[in-house]
Amino acid sequence: HSCGALLQTLITSLFPDTPRAVNVLISFNNRPASAAIPAFNEVIIPLAEQLMGADPTSARGNNSTELRDDPASRLRSSISSFRSSVDGFLETFSQSAIAPQFVANELLPLYKQSAEIIDQIPELLLAIAQGQREFKPSPLDTKEVCRRMYRARRTLLIKFANDELDESPEIEKVLREANTIMRMKR
């Protein structure tokens, strides 16, 4: 869905050793960050700048003490400390006699996967605070890569009627052109 559909097109285009017979792209979205992320300019950027400091690059230095004091390191340390506490509690509780089986089998694995996403937040906020404003590769580069190199034999595009970010019609044009290009290469 959305970003996942975008990632599938990139994987299919950039990694020829991972052949795809079929891709199902649900609600494809290749918009710029400011259009794809609600309130990116109004909320996310100011929040990142506030949390990471007015000039996040000034907190960095060659001294290891200075490096530990930068905003991203402090946030990462806080998240790590919180995670350690929660991890320990959930591990202990999941192995106790009073814990229902689903805690160890379902809740704990789900929590661990979610925590891996949370671990990425400090570096993401730091990149935004330092001026990163666009996805890499850019939407234009992504479109060109897909146009020239998309290799799935079949692709099913699913568009939701009420999804204003969906760009399925646009990617359909690109993939039709990619299909023509791939036939000419054969």
Coordinates of all heavy atoms in Angstrom, one line a residue, residues 19-83:
P19 N 13.6 -11.7 -9.6 CA 12.5 -11.7 -10.6 C 11.1 -11.7 -10.0 O 10.9 -12.4 -8.9 CB 12.8 -12.9 -11.4 CG 13.5 -13.8 -10.6 CD 14.3 -13.0 -9.6
R20 N 10.2 -11.0 -10.6 CA 8.8 -11.0 -10.1 C 7.9 -11.4 -11.2 O 7.9 -10.8 -12.3 CB 8.4 -9.5 -9.7 CG 9.3 -8.9 -8.7 CD 9.1 -9.6 -7.3 NE 10.0 -9.1 -6.3 CZ 9.6 -8.4 -5.3 NH1 8.3 -8.1 -5.1 NH2 10.4 -7.9 -4.4
A21 N 7.2 -12.4 -11.0 CA 6.2 -12.8 -12.0 C 5.0 -11.8 -11.9 O 4.4 -11.4 -13.0 CB 5.7 -14.2 -11.7
V22 N 4.6 -11.4 -10.7 CA 3.4 -10.5 -10.5 C 3.7 -9.6 -9.4 O 4.3 -9.9 -8.4 CB 2.2 -11.4 -10.2 CG1 1.0 -10.5 -9.9 CG2 1.9 -12.4 -11.3
N23 N 3.3 -8.4 -9.6 CA 3.2 -7.4 -8.5 C 1.8 -6.9 -8.3 O 1.1 -6.7 -9.3 CB 4.1 -6.1 -8.8 CG 5.5 -6.3 -8.3 OD1 5.9 -7.2 -7.5 ND2 6.4 -5.4 -8.8
V24 N 1.4 -6.7 -7.1 CA 0.1 -6.1 -6.8 C 0.4 -4.8 -6.1 O 1.0 -4.8 -5.0 CB -0.8 -7.0 -5.9 CG1 -2.1 -6.3 -5.5 CG2 -1.0 -8.3 -6.6
L25 N 0.1 -3.7 -6.8 CA 0.4 -2.4 -6.3 C -0.9 -1.7 -5.8 O -1.8 -1.4 -6.6 CB 1.1 -1.5 -7.3 CG 2.3 -2.1 -8.0 CD1 2.9 -1.2 -9.1 CD2 3.4 -2.4 -6.9
I26 N -1.0 -1.5 -4.5 CA -2.2 -0.9 -3.9 C -2.0 0.5 -3.6 O -1.0 0.8 -2.8 CB -2.6 -1.7 -2.6 CG1 -2.8 -3.2 -3.0 CG2 -3.9 -1.1 -2.0 CD1 -3.1 -4.1 -1.8
S27 N -2.8 1.4 -4.2 CA -2.8 2.8 -3.9 C -1.3 3.4 -4.0 O -0.8 4.0 -3.1 CB -3.3 3.1 -2.4 OG -3.4 4.4 -2.2
F28 N -0.8 3.2 -5.2 CA 0.6 3.7 -5.5 C 0.7 5.2 -5.2 O -0.2 5.9 -5.6 CB 0.9 3.4 -7.0 CG 2.3 3.8 -7.3 CD1 3.4 2.9 -7.1 CD2 2.6 5.0 -7.9 CE1 4.7 3.3 -7.5 CE2 3.9 5.4 -8.2 CZ 4.9 4.5 -8.0
N29 N 1.8 5.6 -4.6 CA 2.1 7.0 -4.3 C 3.6 7.3 -4.5 O 4.4 6.6 -3.9 CB 1.7 7.2 -2.9 CG 2.0 8.6 -2.4 OD1 2.6 9.4 -3.1 ND2 1.6 8.9 -1.2
N30 N 3.9 8.2 -5.4 CA 5.2 8.6 -5.7 C 5.3 10.2 -5.6 O 6.0 10.8 -6.3 CB 5.6 8.1 -7.1 CG 7.1 8.4 -7.4 OD1 7.9 8.4 -6.5 ND2 7.4 8.7 -8.6
R31 N 4.6 10.7 -4.7 CA 4.5 12.2 -4.5 C 5.8 12.7 -3.8 O 6.4 11.9 -3.0 CB 3.3 12.6 -3.8 CG 2.0 12.4 -4.6 CD 0.8 12.8 -3.9 NE -0.4 12.4 -4.6 CZ -1.1 13.3 -5.2 NH1 -0.8 14.6 -5.2 NH2 -2.2 12.9 -5.9
P32 N 6.1 14.0 -3.9 CA 7.1 14.6 -3.1 C 6.7 14.5 -1.6 O 5.5 14.4 -1.3 CB 7.2 16.0 -3.5 CG 6.5 16.1 -4.9 CD 5.5 14.9 -4.9
A33 N 7.7 14.5 -0.7 CA 7.4 14.4 0.7 C 6.4 15.4 1.2 O 5.5 15.1 2.0 CB 8.7 14.6 1.5
S34 N 6.5 16.6 0.7 CA 5.5 17.7 1.2 C 4.1 17.4 0.8 O 3.2 17.8 1.5 CB 5.9 19.1 0.7 OG 5.9 19.1 -0.7
A35 N 3.9 16.6 -0.3 CA 2.5 16.3 -0.7 C 2.1 14.9 -0.1 O 0.9 14.6 0.0 CB 2.5 16.2 -2.2
A36 N 3.1 14.0 0.1 CA 2.7 12.7 0.6 C 2.6 12.6 2.1 O 1.9 11.7 2.6 CB 3.8 11.7 0.2
I37 N 3.2 13.4 2.9 CA 3.1 13.4 4.3 C 2.3 14.5 4.8 O 2.7 15.7 4.7 CB 4.6 13.5 4.9 CG1 5.4 12.3 4.4 CG2 4.5 13.4 6.5 CD1 6.9 12.5 4.8
P38 N 1.1 14.2 5.4 CA 0.3 15.3 5.9 C 1.0 16.2 6.9 O 1.7 15.8 7.7 CB -0.9 14.6 6.6 CG -0.9 13.2 6.0 CD 0.6 12.9 5.6
A39 N 0.8 17.5 6.7 CA 1.4 18.5 7.5 C 2.9 18.5 7.6 O 3.5 18.9 8.6 CB 0.8 18.5 8.9
F40 N 3.6 18.0 6.6 CA 5.1 17.9 6.6 C 5.7 19.3 6.8 O 6.5 19.5 7.7 CB 5.6 17.3 5.3 CG 7.1 17.1 5.2 CD1 7.7 16.1 6.0 CD2 7.8 17.9 4.4 CE1 9.0 15.9 5.9 CE2 9.2 17.8 4.4 CZ 9.8 16.8 5.1
N41 N 5.3 20.3 6.0 CA 5.9 21.6 6.2 C 5.4 22.4 7.4 O 6.2 23.1 8.1 CB 5.6 22.5 4.9 CG 6.3 22.0 3.7 OD1 7.5 21.5 3.8 ND2 5.7 22.1 2.6
E42 N 4.2 22.2 7.8 CA 3.6 22.9 8.9 C 3.9 22.4 10.2 O 4.0 23.1 11.2 CB 2.0 23.0 8.7 CG 1.6 23.6 7.4 CD 1.6 22.7 6.2 OE1 1.8 21.5 6.4 OE2 1.3 23.1 5.1
V43 N 4.0 21.0 10.3 CA 4.2 20.4 11.7 C 5.5 19.6 11.8 O 6.3 19.8 12.7 CB 3.0 19.5 12.0 CG1 3.2 18.7 13.3 CG2 1.7 20.2 12.0
I44 N 5.8 18.7 10.8 CA 6.9 17.8 10.9 C 8.3 18.6 10.9 O 9.1 18.3 11.8 CB 6.9 16.8 9.8 CG1 5.6 16.0 9.8 CG2 8.1 15.8 9.9 CD1 5.3 15.2 11.0
I45 N 8.5 19.5 10.0 CA 9.7 20.2 9.9 C 9.9 21.1 11.2 O 11.0 20.9 11.8 CB 9.8 21.1 8.7 CG1 9.9 20.2 7.4 CG2 11.0 22.1 8.7 CD1 9.8 21.0 6.1
P46 N 9.0 21.9 11.6 CA 9.2 22.6 12.9 C 9.4 21.7 14.1 O 10.2 22.0 15.0 CB 7.9 23.5 13.1 CG 7.3 23.6 11.7 CD 7.7 22.3 11.0
L47 N 8.7 20.6 14.1 CA 8.9 19.6 15.3 C 10.3 19.1 15.2 O 11.0 19.0 16.3 CB 7.9 18.5 15.1 CG 7.9 17.4 16.2 CD1 7.6 18.0 17.6 CD2 7.0 16.3 15.9
A48 N 10.8 18.7 14.1 CA 12.1 18.1 14.0 C 13.2 19.2 14.4 O 14.1 18.9 15.1 CB 12.4 17.7 12.5
E49 N 13.0 20.4 13.9 CA 13.9 21.5 14.3 C 13.9 21.7 15.8 O 14.9 22.0 16.4 CB 13.6 22.7 13.4 CG 14.0 22.5 12.0 CD 13.5 23.7 11.1 OE1 12.7 24.5 11.5 OE2 13.9 23.7 9.9
Q50 N 12.7 21.7 16.4 CA 12.6 22.0 17.8 C 13.2 20.8 18.6 O 14.0 21.1 19.5 CB 11.1 22.1 18.2 CG 10.9 22.4 19.6 CD 11.3 23.8 20.0 OE1 11.2 24.7 19.2 NE2 11.8 24.0 21.2
L51 N 12.9 19.6 18.2 CA 13.5 18.4 19.0 C 15.0 18.3 18.8 O 15.7 17.9 19.7 CB 12.8 17.1 18.6 CG 11.4 17.0 19.0 CD1 10.7 15.7 18.4 CD2 11.3 16.9 20.6
M52 N 15.5 18.6 17.6 CA 16.9 18.4 17.3 C 17.7 19.6 17.5 O 18.9 19.6 17.3 CB 17.0 17.9 15.9 CG 16.4 16.5 15.6 SD 17.2 15.2 16.6 CE 15.9 14.4 17.4
G53 N 17.1 20.7 17.9 CA 17.9 22.0 18.1 C 17.8 22.8 16.8 O 17.6 22.4 15.7
A54 N 18.0 24.1 17.1 CA 17.9 25.1 16.0 C 19.0 24.8 14.9 O 18.7 24.9 13.7 CB 18.1 26.5 16.5
D55 N 20.2 24.4 15.3 CA 21.2 24.1 14.4 C 21.8 22.8 14.8 O 22.8 22.7 15.5 CB 22.3 25.2 14.4 CG 23.4 24.9 13.3 OD1 23.2 24.0 12.5 OD2 24.4 25.6 13.4
P56 N 21.2 21.7 14.3 CA 21.7 20.3 14.7 C 23.1 20.0 14.4 O 23.8 19.3 15.0 CB 20.7 19.4 14.0 CG 19.9 20.2 13.2 CD 20.1 21.6 13.4
T57 N 23.7 20.7 13.4 CA 25.1 20.4 13.0 C 26.0 21.0 14.0 O 27.1 20.6 14.2 CB 25.4 21.0 11.6 OG1 25.1 22.4 11.6 CG2 24.6 20.3 10.6
S58 N 25.6 22.1 14.7 CA 26.5 22.7 15.7 C 26.8 21.8 16.9 O 27.8 22.0 17.6 CB 26.0 24.1 16.2 OG 24.8 23.9 16.9
A59 N 25.9 20.9 17.2 CA 26.1 20.0 18.4 C 27.1 18.9 18.1 O 27.5 18.2 19.0 CB 24.8 19.4 18.8
R60 N 27.5 18.8 16.8 CA 28.4 17.7 16.5 C 29.9 18.2 16.5 O 30.2 19.3 16.1 CB 28.1 17.1 15.1 CG 26.8 16.5 15.1 CD 26.5 15.8 13.8 NE 25.3 15.1 14.0 CZ 25.2 13.8 13.8 NH1 26.2 13.1 13.4 NH2 24.0 13.2 14.0
G61 N 30.7 17.4 17.0 CA 32.2 17.7 17.0 C 33.0 16.5 16.9 O 32.5 15.4 16.8
N62 N 34.3 16.6 17.0 CA 35.2 15.5 17.0 C 35.3 14.8 18.3 O 35.6 13.6 18.4 CB 36.6 15.9 16.5 CG 36.5 16.4 15.1 OD1 35.7 15.9 14.3 ND2 37.4 17.3 14.7
N63 N 34.9 15.5 19.4 CA 35.0 15.0 20.7 C 33.9 14.1 21.0 O 32.7 14.4 20.8 CB 35.0 16.2 21.7 CG 35.1 15.8 23.1 OD1 34.6 14.8 23.6 ND2 35.9 16.6 23.9
S64 N 34.1 12.9 21.6 CA 33.1 11.9 21.8 C 32.0 12.4 22.8 O 30.9 12.0 22.7 CB 33.7 10.6 22.3 OG 34.3 10.7 23.5
T65 N 32.4 13.3 23.7 CA 31.5 13.8 24.7 C 30.5 14.7 24.0 O 29.3 14.7 24.2 CB 32.2 14.6 25.8 OG1 33.2 13.8 26.4 CG2 31.2 15.1 26.8
E66 N 31.0 15.6 23.1 CA 30.2 16.4 22.3 C 29.2 15.6 21.4 O 28.0 16.0 21.3 CB 31.0 17.3 21.3 CG 31.7 18.4 22.0 CD 32.5 19.3 21.0 OE1 33.5 18.8 20.6 OE2 32.0 20.4 20.7
L67 N 29.7 14.5 20.8 CA 28.9 13.7 20.0 C 27.7 13.1 20.7 O 26.6 13.0 20.3 CB 29.7 12.6 19.3 CG 29.1 11.9 18.1 CD1 28.8 12.9 17.0 CD2 30.1 10.9 17.6
R68 N 27.9 12.7 22.0 CA 26.9 12.1 22.8 C 25.9 13.1 23.2 O 24.8 12.8 23.6 CB 27.5 11.4 24.0 CG 27.8 10.0 23.8 CD 28.3 9.3 25.1 NE 29.7 9.4 25.1 CZ 30.4 10.0 26.1 NH1 29.9 10.5 27.1 NH2 31.7 10.0 26.0
D69 N 26.2 14.4 23.2 CA 25.3 15.5 23.6 C 24.5 16.0 22.5 O 23.7 16.9 22.7 CB 26.1 16.6 24.3 CG 26.6 16.2 25.6 OD1 26.1 15.3 26.2 OD2 27.6 16.8 26.1
D70 N 24.6 15.6 21.3 CA 23.8 16.1 20.2 C 22.4 15.6 20.4 O 22.1 14.6 21.0 CB 24.3 15.8 18.8 CG 24.1 14.4 18.4 OD1 22.9 14.1 17.9 OD2 25.0 13.5 18.5
P71 N 21.4 16.4 19.9 CA 20.0 16.1 20.1 C 19.6 14.7 19.7 O 18.8 14.0 20.4 CB 19.2 17.1 19.4 CG 20.2 18.3 19.3 CD 21.5 17.7 19.2
A72 N 20.0 14.2 18.5 CA 19.7 12.9 18.0 C 20.2 11.8 19.0 O 19.5 10.8 19.3 CB 20.2 12.7 16.6
S73 N 21.4 12.0 19.5 CA 21.9 11.0 20.5 C 21.2 11.0 21.7 O 20.9 9.9 22.3 CB 23.4 11.3 20.8 OG 24.2 11.1 19.6
R74 N 20.7 12.2 22.2 CA 19.9 12.2 23.5 C 18.6 11.5 23.2 O 18.1 10.7 24.1 CB 19.8 13.6 23.9 CG 21.0 14.3 24.5 CD 20.7 15.6 25.3 NE 20.1 16.6 24.5 CZ 20.7 17.5 23.7 NH1 22.0 17.5 23.7 NH2 20.0 18.4 23.0
L75 N 17.9 11.8 22.1 CA 16.7 11.2 21.8 C 16.8 9.7 21.6 O 16.0 8.9 22.2 CB 16.0 11.8 20.6 CG 14.6 11.3 20.2 CD1 13.7 11.6 21.3 CD2 14.2 12.1 18.9
R76 N 17.9 9.3 20.9 CA 18.1 7.9 20.7 C 18.4 7.2 22.0 O 17.9 6.1 22.3 CB 19.3 7.7 19.8 CG 19.5 6.3 19.2 CD 20.6 6.2 18.2 NE 21.7 7.1 18.3 CZ 21.9 8.2 17.5 NH1 21.0 8.6 16.7 NH2 22.9 9.0 17.7
S77 N 19.1 7.8 22.9 CA 19.4 7.3 24.3 C 18.1 7.1 25.1 O 17.9 6.1 25.8 CB 20.4 8.2 25.0 OG 20.6 7.7 26.3
S78 N 17.2 8.1 25.0 CA 16.0 8.1 25.7 C 15.1 6.9 25.2 O 14.5 6.2 26.0 CB 15.2 9.4 25.6 OG 15.9 10.4 26.2
I79 N 15.0 6.8 23.9 CA 14.2 5.7 23.3 C 14.8 4.4 23.7 O 14.1 3.4 24.0 CB 14.1 5.9 21.8 CG1 13.3 7.1 21.4 CG2 13.6 4.6 21.1 CD1 13.3 7.5 19.9
S80 N 16.1 4.3 23.6 CA 16.8 3.0 24.0 C 16.6 2.6 25.4 O 16.3 1.5 25.7 CB 18.3 3.2 23.7 OG 19.0 2.0 24.1
S81 N 16.6 3.6 26.3 CA 16.4 3.3 27.7 C 14.9 2.9 27.9 O 14.7 1.9 28.7 CB 16.6 4.6 28.5 OG 16.3 4.4 29.9
F82 N 14.0 3.6 27.3 CA 12.6 3.2 27.4 C 12.4 1.8 26.8 O 11.7 0.9 27.5 CB 11.7 4.2 26.7 CG 10.3 3.8 26.6 CD1 9.5 4.0 27.7 CD2 9.7 3.3 25.5 CE1 8.1 3.6 27.7 CE2 8.4 2.9 25.4 CZ 7.6 3.1 26.6
R83 N 13.0 1.5 25.7 CA 12.8 0.2 25.1 C 13.4 -0.9 25.9 O 12.8 -2.0 26.1 CB 13.6 0.2 23.7 CG 12.7 0.6 22.6 CD 13.1 0.1 21.3 NE 13.2 -1.3 21.2 CZ 13.9 -2.0 20.3 NH1 14.6 -1.3 19.4 NH2 14.0 -3.3 20.3

